[in-house]
């Protein structure tokens, strides 16, 4: 598949025929057909992308081919080792601080009463300071690592990057301390444990919440956040099926359950690490750069590993399935038996990921459009690809739903999370802002009424963007991986609820395709900002505790900077600025 929009502007749509047939006029008569074509059909075609865009325009400008680069020299390798230790020190501090500032269970806390280990829990502000300091250290180490992942070209020489093995060792070193730390930044894992226990008891987790099914005094119910105690499970049957198996092994032992759920999240992260560089090479992007922005992203470390979110499994299965399917589709020549196996297996993995969380099923549409383009890009090929991949998805989802014994109740609970009003969601923040202004003007609080308008409108806009990306893949203007990332980004930002880790749905696929500063700089900045502003206990602290911890964190970071300024590649302003820097040449500012 081509990775940029190389199609000619004169191309007609395989779905509707000639681009201008609906709007043809003899110039003298305003017939109803002419008016219909001019004012309805033509704008609709432009909106959904049926009309060809200029070469190099639109979303395709986010991509540029990136060369692989030679490894680091000896001085840079020493700096890399210092960066690796700097980040590892940060994750160790986070693990220590989480003993007091993490999302500790209400009951069965293994450190409660232990003289030394329970010390952080008795010093809340100090524990928060240690955790925040560790968090900032990891983010700074990640940014510094970016200088060697993106490539350095200030001198005008060929850019040098760290090797894949160096990236893997760095990532593993940063992950290990978080694997043994208490949960951080979220208490969702306790909901996983309670819903898995409901499933293990033979009850329907899509009908009853933890408090109704297990009782208010149950050890698992007590650890579930209050907002989720009465709500049914919003997750797919595969995740709860695996959770039931975990419950069979651990019973109501919270610590053992957390450990096994984290192991499941690590399986998802491993799938991401496996698939991401392969997708990047398929798109003409440096593999270590994609791994740095995608897999080594602090949002992955903090929320998929430390926070134990099931997004890890969903994204991992989705990316692995996409890689296998594209391996078959992009293979030149006649499809062999191995290619057919890759296609069916990849589609099956994507469908399997949707039984963890449903949004990943979007990836199957982009695989289908790529397959349709291989078959000629006609309406018939689109229908055939849709029937083939749709059949695989239905078979997998039905098999998992029936095999798990959970049925299809999960389809009716997909909107459970909508009760949360998230400031990161565009339609939600618009509704909240409008309601706030109404209160200030004395018009009353109309937030709920406004949300009932903004959220459906946002859903329609997201749907239009997804359709536009699908058509771009069909017509060869975008690579399926890039179009998938853009579509998931639209779905996330226009979703009624956006959690920080939801951003990874889009950031990780786009890390394998989008190379220009117009994507990478905002992605880096937003990932860094969101990573340091969330509280490690998954809830809130008193304002004075946050202020004290923030001040001490700044002091600690300043001291560390002074101690390491000669050993670490901290940014400097010496030397003339680089000129005519390309897509890969802005790493000096990272």
């Amino acid at each position: 598949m081509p990775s940029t929009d190389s199609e000619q502007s004169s191309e007609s749509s395989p779905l509707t025929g000639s681009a201008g047939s609906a709007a043809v006029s003899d110039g003298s008569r305003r017939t109803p057909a002419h008016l219909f074509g001019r004012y309805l059909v033509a704008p609709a075609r432009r909106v959904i992308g049926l009309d060809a865009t200029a070469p190099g325009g639109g979303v395709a400008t986010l991509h540029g081919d990136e060369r692989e680069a030679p490894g680091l020299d000896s001085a840079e390798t020493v700096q890399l080792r210092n960066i690796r230790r700097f980040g590892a020190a940060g994750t160790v501090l986070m693990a220590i601080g989480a003993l007091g500032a993490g999302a500790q269970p209400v009951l069965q806390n293994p450190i409660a009463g232990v003289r030394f280990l329970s010390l952080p829990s008795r010093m809340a502000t100090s524990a928060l300071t240690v955790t925040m300091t560790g968090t900032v250290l990891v983010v700074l180490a990640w940014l510094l690592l970016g200088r060697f992942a993106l490539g350095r070209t200030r001198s005008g020489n060929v850019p040098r990057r760290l090797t894949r093995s160096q990236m893997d060792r760095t990532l593993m070193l940063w992950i290990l301390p978080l694997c043994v730390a208490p949960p951080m930044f979220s208490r969702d894992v306790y909901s996983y444990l309670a819903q898995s226990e409901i499933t293990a008891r033979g009850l329907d987790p899509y009908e009853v919440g933890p408090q109704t099914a297990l009782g208010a005094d149950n050890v698992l119910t007590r650890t579930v956040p209050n907002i989720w105690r009465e709500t049914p499970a919003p997750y797919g049957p595969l995740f709860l099926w695996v959770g039931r198996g975990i419950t069979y092994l651990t019973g109501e032992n919270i610590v053992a359950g957390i450990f096994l759920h984290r192991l499941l999240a690590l399986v998802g992260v491993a799938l991401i690490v496996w698939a991401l560089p392969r997708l990047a090479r398929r798109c003409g992007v440096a593999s270590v750069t994609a791994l740095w922005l995608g897999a080594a992203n602090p949002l992955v470390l903090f929320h998929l590993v430390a926070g134990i979110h099931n997004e890890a499994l969903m994204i991992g299965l989705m990316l692995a399935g996409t890689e296998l399917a594209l391996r078959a589709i992009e293979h030149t020549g006649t499809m062999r038996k191995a290619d057919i196996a890759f296609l069916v297996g990849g589609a099956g993995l994507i469908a399997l990921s949707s039984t963890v969380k449903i949004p990943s099923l979007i990836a199957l549409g982009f695989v289908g459009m790529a397959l349709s383009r291989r078959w000629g890009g006609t309406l018939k090929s689109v229908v055939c690809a849709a029937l083939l991949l749709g059949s695989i998805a239905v078979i997998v989802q039905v098999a998992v739903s029936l095999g798990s014994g959970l049925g299809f109740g999960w389809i009716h609970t997909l909107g459970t999370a909508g009760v949360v009003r998230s400031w990161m969601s565009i339609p939600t923040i618009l509704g909240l802002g409008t309601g706030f202004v109404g209160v200030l003007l004395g018009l009353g609080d109309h937030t709920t009424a406004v949300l009932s308008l903004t959220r459906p409108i946002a859903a329609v806009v997201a749907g239009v963007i997804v359709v536009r990306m699908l058509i771009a893949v069909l017509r060869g203007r975008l690579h399926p991986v890039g179009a998938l990332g853009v579509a998931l980004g639209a779905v996330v930002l226009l979703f009624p609820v956006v959690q920080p880790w939801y951003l990874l749905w889009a950031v990780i696929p786009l890390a394998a395709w989008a190379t220009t500063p117009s994507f990478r700089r905002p992605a880096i900045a937003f990932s860094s900002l969101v990573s340091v502003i969330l509280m490690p206990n998954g809830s809130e602290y008193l304002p004075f505790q946050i202020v004290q911890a923030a001040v001490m964190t700044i002091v600690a970071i300043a001291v560390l900077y002074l101690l390491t300024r000669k050993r670490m590649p901290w940014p400097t302003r010496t030397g003339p600025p680089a000129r005519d820097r390309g897509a890969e040449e802005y790493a000096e500012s990272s």
Side-chain angles (χ1 to χ4, degrees):
M1 292 294 297
S3 57
T4 59
D5 52 342
S6 58
E7 296 301 304
Q8 298 297 321
S9 60
S10 61
E11 179 186 19
S12 63
S13 169
L15 301 179
T16 61
S18 174
S21 59
V24 172
S25 174
D26 59 5
S28 60
R29 292 182 300 172
R30 297 284 182 173
T31 64
H34 167 72
L35 296 175
F36 178 77
R38 180 176 180 179
Y39 294 107
L40 291 177
V41 176
R45 289 172 57 86
R46 286 194 296 270
V47 167
I48 65 176
L50 285 174
D51 286 344
T53 59
V59 176
T61 58
L62 296 178
H63 173 80
D65 288 340
E66 221 172 30
R67 294 176 299 168
E68 294 290 351
L72 306 177
D73 59 27
S74 58
E76 291 168 334
T77 300
V78 172
Q79 291 180 331
L80 172 64
R81 290 171 182 160
N82 291 333
I83 293 172
R84 185 182 295 157
R85 298 188 188 105
F86 198 73
T91 55
V92 169
L93 286 178
M94 290 177 65
I96 294 172
L99 296 175
Q104 303 280 0
V106 176
L107 301 175
Q108 293 188 14
N109 190 334
I111 67 171
V114 180
R115 182 168 300 177
F116 178 73
L117 292 179
S118 63
L119 184 61
S121 64
R122 299 194 297 271
M123 304 169 62
T125 304
S126 298
L128 179 60
T129 301
V130 171
T131 308
M132 289 178 64
T133 302
T135 300
V136 175
L137 286 181
V138 174
V139 173
L140 290 176
W142 178 67
L143 294 174
L144 292 174
L145 184 66
R147 298 166 68 92
F148 300 134
L150 294 167
R152 302 182 63 181
T153 58
R154 179 184 288 273
S155 62
N157 298 324
V158 176
R160 296 185 298 274
R161 297 189 183 95
L162 74 166
T163 64
R164 171 66 192 276
S165 63
Q166 289 172 328
M167 174 62 77
D168 289 344
R169 290 197 298 273
T170 302
L171 183 58
M172 184 172 294
L173 187 62
W174 291 358
I175 284 178
L176 282 176
L178 299 177
C179 292
V180 297
M184 301 177 68
F185 303 105
S186 173
R187 296 180 177 272
D188 281 4
V189 67
Y190 301 120
S191 295
Y192 301 165
L193 294 174
Q195 290 155 0
S196 298
E197 175 66 19
I198 294 172
T199 307
R201 292 187 181 188
L203 302 175
D204 188 351
Y206 302 120
E207 291 289 339
V208 293
Q211 185 163 309
T212 302
L214 306 179
D217 295 328
N218 181 270
V219 63
L220 297 178
T221 304
R222 292 283 300 276
T223 61
V224 176
N226 291 334
I227 191 174
W228 304 124
R229 289 189 179 183
E230 292 288 356
T231 57
Y235 310 116
L238 175 64
F239 183 70
L240 293 184
W241 195 4
V242 175
R244 182 170 64 192
I246 291 175
T247 298
Y248 285 151
L249 294 175
T250 63
E252 294 184 351
N253 188 313
I254 292 177
V255 175
I258 289 173
F259 176 81
L260 291 183
H261 272 282
R262 178 167 277 155
L263 189 61
L264 185 63
L266 290 174
V267 170
V269 173
L271 288 172
I272 293 172
V273 172
W274 177 85
L276 196 55
R278 289 168 172 80
L279 291 171
R281 286 194 294 269
R282 197 172 295 284
C283 297
V285 176
S287 57
V288 292
T289 305
L291 276 173
W292 170 77
L293 183 55
N297 194 303
L299 291 176
V300 172
L301 302 178
F302 297 167
H303 296 287
L304 301 192
V305 178
I308 324 179
H309 286 288
N310 55 12
E311 264 77 11
L313 187 61
M314 181 200 81
I315 297 173
L317 289 171
M318 179 186 71
L319 292 184
T322 302
E323 162 58 24
L324 292 178
L326 292 180
R327 184 177 300 182
I329 295 170
E330 296 182 357
H331 179 265
T332 57
T334 306
M335 276 195 175
R336 304 163 300 180
K337 291 183 179 179
D339 295 327
I340 296 174
F342 281 135
L343 177 61
V344 174
L349 284 179
I350 294 173
L352 204 60
S353 72
S354 72
T355 60
V356 177
K357 280 193 169 182
I358 196 67
S360 64
L361 194 62
I362 292 176
L364 206 59
F366 292 94
V367 169
M369 285 301 187
L371 179 62
S372 175
R373 180 169 174 79
R374 178 188 171 99
W375 287 346
T378 62
L379 179 60
K380 180 180 178 180
S381 69
V382 172
V383 173
C384 291
L387 289 175
L388 173 61
L389 300 184
S391 298
I392 295 173
V394 170
I395 291 171
V396 170
Q397 291 182 340
V398 170
V400 172
S401 298
L402 297 181
S404 64
L406 295 172
F408 301 94
W410 60 285
I411 297 174
H412 304 293
T413 62
L414 297 176
T416 298
V419 298
V420 177
R421 293 181 176 180
S422 171
W423 62 271
M424 296 177 67
S425 166
I426 292 177
T428 300
I429 196 62
L430 287 176
L432 294 176
T434 304
F436 178 72
V437 171
V439 172
L440 290 179
L441 297 177
L443 302 176
D445 186 359
H446 300 289
T447 301
T448 302
V450 175
L451 287 176
S452 65
L453 293 175
T454 58
R455 287 180 170 178
I457 292 173
V460 172
V461 174
V464 170
I465 294 174
V466 171
V467 171
R468 187 178 179 89
M469 294 300 102
L470 289 169
I471 293 174
V473 172
L474 179 65
R475 302 187 69 179
R477 294 198 298 264
L478 291 177
H479 192 279
V481 174
L484 170 63
V486 173
L488 286 173
V491 169
V492 167
L493 294 178
L494 296 173
F495 212 55
V497 178
V498 180
Q499 300 291 0
W501 51 93
Y502 289 6
L503 299 173
L504 294 172
W505 299 3
V507 170
I508 293 178
L510 286 174
W513 176 79
T515 59
T516 57
S518 57
F519 163 73
R520 282 181 175 167
R521 283 175 176 160
I524 292 168
F526 204 73
S527 297
S528 302
L529 177 63
V530 174
S531 295
V532 299
I533 64 174
L534 299 179
M535 293 297 100
N537 65 347
S539 56
E540 297 178 354
Y541 277 91
L542 296 174
F544 79 90
Q545 291 178 310
I546 297 175
V547 171
Q548 289 176 344
V551 170
M552 292 308 301
T553 296
I554 293 173
V555 172
I557 296 299
V559 171
L560 287 171
Y561 169 76
L562 293 175
L563 293 175
T564 62
R565 67 185 186 277
K566 294 182 179 180
R567 298 182 180 181
M568 304 279 286
W570 295 106
T572 61
R573 294 186 178 275
T574 59
R579 300 178 63 185
D580 299 325
R581 288 152 67 159
E584 76 227 343
E585 297 183 330
Y586 64 96
E588 285 295 321
S589 62
S590 62

